[in-house]
Amino acid sequence: MKKYLKASLLIVTAITVIAGCESEPTAQQSPSVDTAKKAPDNEIFIYTVYPAFYAKEENYEKQIGQYLKKKFPDLSFKHVHWDNPGRQYKDLIAAGTIPDIIIENSSGNFEKSIIQNDLQYDMTDLIKKYNFDTTKLNPAAMAKMKNKTPEGKIYGLPYQLSDFVLFYNKDIFDKFGVDYPKDGMTYDEVYELAKKLTRVEGENTYKGYQQHPGLYMTYNQLGLSPFSLTEDKAVLATDGWKKEVDNLRRFYEIPANQFTSVDDFPKGKMAMSVHVSEKIVQWYEQNKNLNFDIAAMPSFSDAPNTKAQPNMYAAFITKQSTKKDQAFQVIQYMLSEEMQVNLAKEGIIGSLQTPAVQEAFGKNLPQMQGKHVQSIFYGQNAMPPAARASGLTYVDVPLHNVFSPLIFGESKDSMTALRMIEEQTTKGIQTEKASK
């Protein structure tokens, strides 16, 4: 699970992934990445940028390290987590110490850090060599990796996901005599619930529904891309994007349900909030008297049972690694059912979602006992957009600005707000191209 939507994202845990750490220098600005110093022949260097909780070595050791040491007794493992300053990509490159494996956000950070630093490596031949069956992995997550290039090169394999679910406060539903949400509900159905549950009683304001607009659009359930797939420009002023915006906008036009923060849910005055599943533990710890449960996030009526696109971290092998075979075997084990069951017990959603993995989910976490964790696996992730043509420029797209400030602060109509961000992003693309 990002440094991009700090007000509402999971700051300490995985969701901090969303927009990645600060931009790293390009390969042209850094010393050659081919000058890696020779490490021991049996050492595998693993560099984690996300999930953010691997910044604590005990978390990494508990969830990854101990299992790798047991599985590969003839290998030694070196782990470094991204930090500012001293352990960024530019620092490793300057020191000539290139990791063998990188665990990183599969979205913007891939383009800004791995590609720009010329670390990418196509794992297709290794997948064939070791007969690794990628069809067992989450289909949308795997498609997201293949869609990085029009040729379908596989620069990384999906490792962990940070899926969104619908949290609901049972006490508020009981107070107003409204039935609890169920898996498989549409936004239209949840909108009707939100209208019933948004109330002002004396000094108490009960908000019916909150969902972070930036995350909602970034991982949109309609599979929309903010970029042209063939040209260096943004494409947002479309009917599809307007449908996406209008769908959520209506919730915030319910009187007294203005957007504040999805993270206000633990305060006890919010009926429903869409956030990542890691919040089950976080919000429980923030308010142990909170009487809540979860259901699957709502879907569009014309795309039923389709949740957000994969919000995920992937495992990459660097082109500079001299131990690609050993590195791939390590990743292959990390994606095995044995390893993914271990992760699931700690409340981590893996890309391998077999019955055994799903049944193990949250078993080691008392905060998840009694919760409807099956809803985390309900439905399918939306498929990501197709690959863009080769050579096109990547920039961060400030999708969150469509709502704030343009809609929330300036009362722009949906199409105007989208057009303004489209123009801003296209200008950013041209600026980025000119700088190179």
Side-chain angles (χ1 to χ4, degrees), residues 150 224-233 235 385-390 392:
L224 303 170
S225 172
F227 298 106
S228 165
L229 300 183
T230 58
E231 300 178 66
D232 254 335
K233 65 179 184 179
V235 177
R388 300 177 71 202
S390 298
L392 297 182

Side-chain angles (χ1 to χ4, degrees), residues 83-275:
D83 196 9
N84 185 11
R87 294 182 171 186
Q88 298 179 20
Y89 282 93
K90 61 184 178 183
D91 301 308
L92 300 181
I93 293 170
T97 55
I98 308 301
D100 299 293
I101 296 171
I102 298 174
I103 300 177
E104 171 66 286
N105 170 25
S106 64
S107 297
N109 278 16
F110 169 75
E111 286 81 4
K112 290 187 298 182
S113 298
I114 293 179
I115 291 292
Q116 289 190 12
N117 284 309
D118 195 31
L119 300 171
Q120 72 279 7
Y121 172 74
D122 184 5
M123 298 163 66
T124 301
D125 288 343
L126 288 173
I127 290 171
K128 293 177 181 177
K129 179 177 180 178
Y130 290 97
N131 196 30
F132 181 70
D133 187 0
T134 60
T135 64
K136 293 183 178 180
L137 303 180
N138 181 303
M142 196 62 217
K144 187 170 185 177
M145 299 314 302
K146 288 184 176 179
N147 289 0
K148 292 298 182 183
T149 68
E151 301 84 15
K153 294 180 180 179
I154 303 176
Y155 288 136
L157 289 171
Y159 174 52
Q160 292 184 22
L161 286 82
S162 187
D163 266 345
F164 300 92
V165 294
L166 176 69
F167 291 78
Y168 63 93
N169 186 318
K170 298 169 77 171
D171 288 341
I172 295 178
F173 276 81
D174 293 342
K175 177 180 177 66
F176 297 124
V178 178
D179 292 337
Y180 298 153
K182 299 179 181 178
D183 294 340
M185 296 187 76
T186 66
Y187 277 105
D188 294 337
E189 293 171 321
V190 173
Y191 176 69
E192 294 303 318
L193 294 182
K195 289 193 294 184
K196 295 177 182 178
L197 294 162
T198 302
R199 309 279 187 96
V200 178
E201 293 189 346
E203 296 181 354
N204 292 318
T205 297
Y206 296 92
K207 291 186 178 293
Y209 183 88
Q210 298 278 287
Q211 183 171 1
H212 195 288
L215 298 180
Y216 165 80
M217 295 182 69
T218 298
Y219 300 100
N220 70 83
Q221 291 153 272
L222 300 178
L224 303 170
S225 172
F227 298 106
S228 165
L229 300 183
T230 58
E231 300 178 66
D232 254 335
K233 65 179 184 179
V235 177
L236 286 164
T238 66
D239 290 341
W241 276 110
K242 183 177 184 298
K243 175 182 177 180
E244 178 80 11
V245 171
D246 286 345
N247 176 59
L248 185 60
R249 180 175 189 156
R250 57 178 167 163
F251 285 88
Y252 297 124
E253 292 174 345
I254 298 172
N257 194 54
Q258 297 89 346
F259 177 71
T260 52
S261 170
V262 288
D263 282 301
D264 284 343
F265 185 80
K267 297 178 180 178
K269 296 296 193 303
M270 187 180 295
M272 295 179 286
S273 177
V274 172
H275 216 323

Side-chain angles (χ1 to χ4, degrees), residues 20-88:
C21 51
E22 66 180 42
S23 296
E24 295 290 342
T26 63
Q28 290 80 2
Q29 295 170 314
S30 306
S32 170
V33 291
D34 289 316
T35 60
K37 297 176 181 177
K38 183 171 177 58
D41 291 340
N42 69 332
E43 180 184 272
I44 299 296
F45 178 10
I46 300 177
Y47 181 51
T48 56
V49 183
Y50 290 101
F53 47 73
Y54 289 157
K56 292 186 176 181
E57 188 64 22
E58 59 265 32
N59 291 340
Y60 167 83
E61 187 63 25
K62 180 180 181 180
Q63 296 179 6
I64 297 181
Q66 64 167 325
Y67 299 111
L68 296 186
K69 292 173 185 176
K70 182 177 180 180
K71 179 66 176 180
F72 302 99
D74 294 333
L75 295 178
S76 66
F77 293 92
K78 173 184 176 182
H79 171 240
V80 170
H81 185 80
W82 185 96
D83 196 9
N84 185 11
R87 294 182 171 186
Q88 298 179 20

